[in-house]
């Protein structure tokens, strides 16, 4: 194909079925991977990976947003937002979200769903056991027992960035706190002006450049593993802040359910590359210094949102 | 509106007609701007702006990509890519692009257009006076005569970042070079593996997180001023690298023309906030430390891709 670059990465053809299942930032090319040196590329590293380099997400922390066009799979982060994750689970089991809508799609920013009548008490969706609001979970203490793969490059916004159990994380050793960072595909709990006005009834997904100014201002609770294109390619809302102007423009939600609440046959099976392995460290280095033939000048640096987090179907299903 | 945040910014209602014409990263909210302190917000700064804080793009450097759903307006950067800009102008005047297609939409990365038959000599679109390829214009010497508004925050990828004449720029004082940076809405000339294999016949637009690893690897030549949602909301291609699998999926291009080549009545009139003014410096500070009531913890930092570059219709047309 002519002038196919800039490509996210190159990979051998025979990897294509695996790679096409990956998220877009790990998309494959049909061209053979030709490294300009013998240094490994992301493609060669993934090809060399062992089963132990991968993990499967916990069905108790895997959320399915089912839309008319398909399913968005989200991994939740109870390490960082335990109360929000528990509340979203309760909301899901109460069928709170089923039949609600995607209300907002703001270009280079977020897609958001919730109850269009949330502020009209007579019409608002009922809540049973779940909480309508929660105290914020903007950050949490650093726990040495949670593996942290740190990026060596400086970050614009935080003293340290890296990865904990598959999530992008920032840390401030000076005050002993860490937090999830806003980047493409991250999922958060919308709120009003009061920091404790969120809780998970309204959820947004980042579909643009990492809005890092939101870090520690709003509770992040997960990240999209699969299907983000069902959100990122939605028509942009034309009202203020990308809200849809009319109810007809809103996209209906079929259901929001946890994988654990569905029979095995209805679940999506995925494997995620572990982020606490030598392989993942090598992958970061391969992305800091791109050795594919196309690159004339490897950057020698990387920011956290440009580090891919590969997802694939489990080997037995390939 | 319930839980409307995270919002890019807040602004008074009466600014709405102006603001809704701005790009998405400068989208407005219907809520009044309530600053937590007396420090200015982006909304209050724009409201206080004088006519001299704005400029109009040169029709000789303004490109219209006309699609079935509307027009994408692009400002070209002859300061940084003079040969590429001149070649795209020649291609446009030869009607090279008219009837070609958008070939690729890769999530969180790029949309790309060109000739689907470029590699089939018998079918490829003819080129008359224009060049098919050009030497790269990856960077250029720093010129003290070109105003540079530098960000005070460190950047992950470059020694310095800031803005020159409305474009996001990085600089390396050690070797005296500067270059346009890859961020949301930037426009570049696709190329094959050889650095001199681009030239402007195939053009991409960034629709995701800033892929800064491409900086100085491919020639950037402009940025989208208006209409990027016509590209960013396209269906994602399902072939390798986001290419569309079948010709039927490709989006046809009506025409690619320069504003200067159209009668006045057919032009889009826009004003761009100047980036060499005290007002723009204040705007950067207002975005480094968000003072709208919603923000619990202003970041105190900003990366170049999170600095908005406001666009509005000229006052006489509001």
């Amino acid at each position: 194909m002519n002038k196919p670059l800039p490509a996210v990465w190159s990979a051998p053809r025979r990897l294509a079925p695996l790679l096409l299942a990956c998220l877009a930032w790990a998309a494959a090319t049909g061209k053979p991977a030709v490294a300009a040196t013998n240094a490994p590329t992301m493609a060669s590293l993934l090809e060399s990976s062992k089963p132990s380099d991968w993990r499967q997400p916990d069905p108790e922390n895997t959320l399915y947003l089912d839309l008319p066009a398909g399913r968005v799979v989200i991994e939740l982060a109870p390490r960082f937002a335990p109360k929000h994750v528990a509340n979203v689970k309760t909301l899901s089991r109460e069928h709170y979200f089923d039949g609600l809508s995607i209300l907002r799609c703001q270009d280079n920013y977020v897609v958001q769903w919730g109850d269009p009548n949330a502020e009209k008490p007579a019409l608002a969706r009922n809540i049973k056991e779940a909480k309508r609001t929660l105290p914020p979970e903007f950050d949490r203490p650093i726990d040495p027992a949670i593996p942290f793969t740190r990026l060596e490059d400086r970050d614009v916004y935080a003293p340290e960035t890296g990865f904990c159990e598959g999530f992008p994380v920032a840390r401030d050793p000076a005050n002993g706190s860490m937090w999830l960072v806003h980047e493409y595909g991250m999922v958060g709990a919308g709120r009003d002006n009061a920091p404790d006005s969120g809780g998970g009834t309204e959820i947004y997904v980042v579909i643009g450049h990492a809005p890092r100014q939101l870090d520690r201002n709003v509770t992040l609770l997960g990240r999209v593993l699969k299907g983000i294109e069902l959100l990122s390619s939605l028509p942009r809302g034309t009202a203020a802040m990308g809200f849809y102007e009319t109810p007809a423009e809103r996209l209906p939600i079929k259901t929001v359910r946890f994988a654990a609440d569905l029979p095995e046959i209805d679940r999506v099976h995925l494997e995620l590359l572990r982020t606490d392995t030598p392989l993942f460290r090598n992958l970061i280095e391969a992305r800091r210094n791109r050795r594919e033939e196309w690159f004339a000048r490897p950057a020698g640096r990387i920011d956290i949102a440009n580090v891919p987090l590969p997802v694939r179907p489990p080997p037995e299903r390939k």
Side-chain angles (χ1 to χ4, degrees), chain A:
Chain A
M1 220 163 290
N2 57 312
K3 296 189 181 56
L5 290 154
V8 173
W9 59 309
S10 298
R13 271 185 194 282
R14 65 195 185 76
L15 270 180
L18 178 159
L19 299 175
L20 288 174
C22 291
L23 288 183
W25 58 76
T29 162
K31 293 182 106 181
V34 182
T37 69
N38 287 330
T41 63
M42 176 156 152
S44 70
L45 287 167
L46 291 185
E47 199 176 8
S48 74
S49 68
K50 301 182 196 70
S52 59
D53 288 315
W54 300 82
R55 66 185 173 92
Q56 296 191 1
D58 180 353
E60 289 286 348
N61 293 318
T62 304
L63 190 71
Y64 298 150
L65 166 66
D66 279 347
L67 302 172
R71 174 172 287 177
V72 182
V73 182
I74 294 167
E75 182 175 33
L76 298 173
R79 291 277 210 190
F80 289 87
K83 294 187 179 67
H84 281 74
V85 169
N87 201 45
V88 168
K89 191 174 291 186
T90 306
L91 288 165
S92 163
R93 289 178 178 164
E94 289 183 8
H95 302 283
Y96 173 80
F97 298 105
D98 303 354
L100 296 184
S101 298
I102 293 179
L103 307 171
R104 175 186 189 191
C105 179
Q106 182 170 355
D107 196 63
N108 192 21
Y109 202 46
V110 297
V111 166
Q112 194 163 321
W113 73 83
D115 181 359
N117 297 312
E119 292 189 341
K120 298 172 190 156
L123 297 172
R125 179 68 59 103
N126 192 28
I127 289 182
K128 297 167 198 156
E129 301 294 319
K131 308 285 188 200
R132 200 168 279 281
T133 61
L134 287 174
E137 295 178 296
F138 295 164
D139 56 14
R140 57 151 290 158
I142 292 174
D143 177 351
I146 304 176
F148 178 64
T149 299
R150 185 178 167 189
L151 292 185
E152 66 185 278
D153 299 305
R154 63 190 186 187
D155 178 72
V156 177
Y157 291 87
E160 297 181 353
T161 54
F163 296 88
C164 288
E165 300 173 337
F167 290 96
V169 168
R171 310 205 313 181
D172 184 355
N175 69 13
S177 68
M178 65 180 187
W179 57 93
L180 297 176
V181 304
H182 279 82
E183 63 171 52
Y184 199 90
M186 290 298 285
V187 180
R191 67 165 173 88
D192 285 321
N193 281 346
D196 60 358
S197 59
T201 58
E202 190 136 345
I203 289 178
Y204 65 90
V205 178
V206 175
I207 59 153
H209 184 81
R212 296 285 305 279
Q213 68 279 6
L214 301 179
D215 289 358
R216 292 185 287 175
N217 277 287
V218 60
T219 300
L220 287 169
L221 48 82
R223 102 177 156 90
V224 174
L225 301 179
K226 186 173 188 293
I228 195 167
E229 70 281 0
L230 298 173
L231 303 174
S232 58
S233 65
L234 288 175
R236 276 44 183 163
T238 52
M241 290 169 40
F243 279 90
Y244 292 119
E245 296 209 55
T246 62
E249 293 171 85
R250 296 176 190 147
L251 185 71
I253 291 170
K254 292 169 69 178
T255 57
V256 173
R257 292 175 296 190
F258 277 69
D261 295 338
L262 292 185
E264 175 76 15
I265 195 168
D266 291 334
R267 298 182 192 172
V268 177
H269 295 274
L270 298 171
E271 285 195 342
L272 318 179
L273 196 70
R274 296 178 64 103
T275 57
D276 58 351
T277 58
L279 183 83
F280 185 68
R281 289 183 188 276
N282 290 339
L283 184 147
I284 292 170
E285 181 54 32
R287 301 297 284 191
R288 293 179 73 244
N289 283 295
R290 296 287 292 268
R291 299 301 183 186
E292 295 89 347
E293 190 180 2
W294 185 85
F295 280 85
R297 185 199 298 257
R301 292 176 173 80
I302 197 161
D303 85 85
I304 188 162
N306 276 316
V307 176
L309 293 167
V311 179
R312 69 176 190 185
E316 70 269 26
R317 293 166 197 271
K318 274 187 293 197

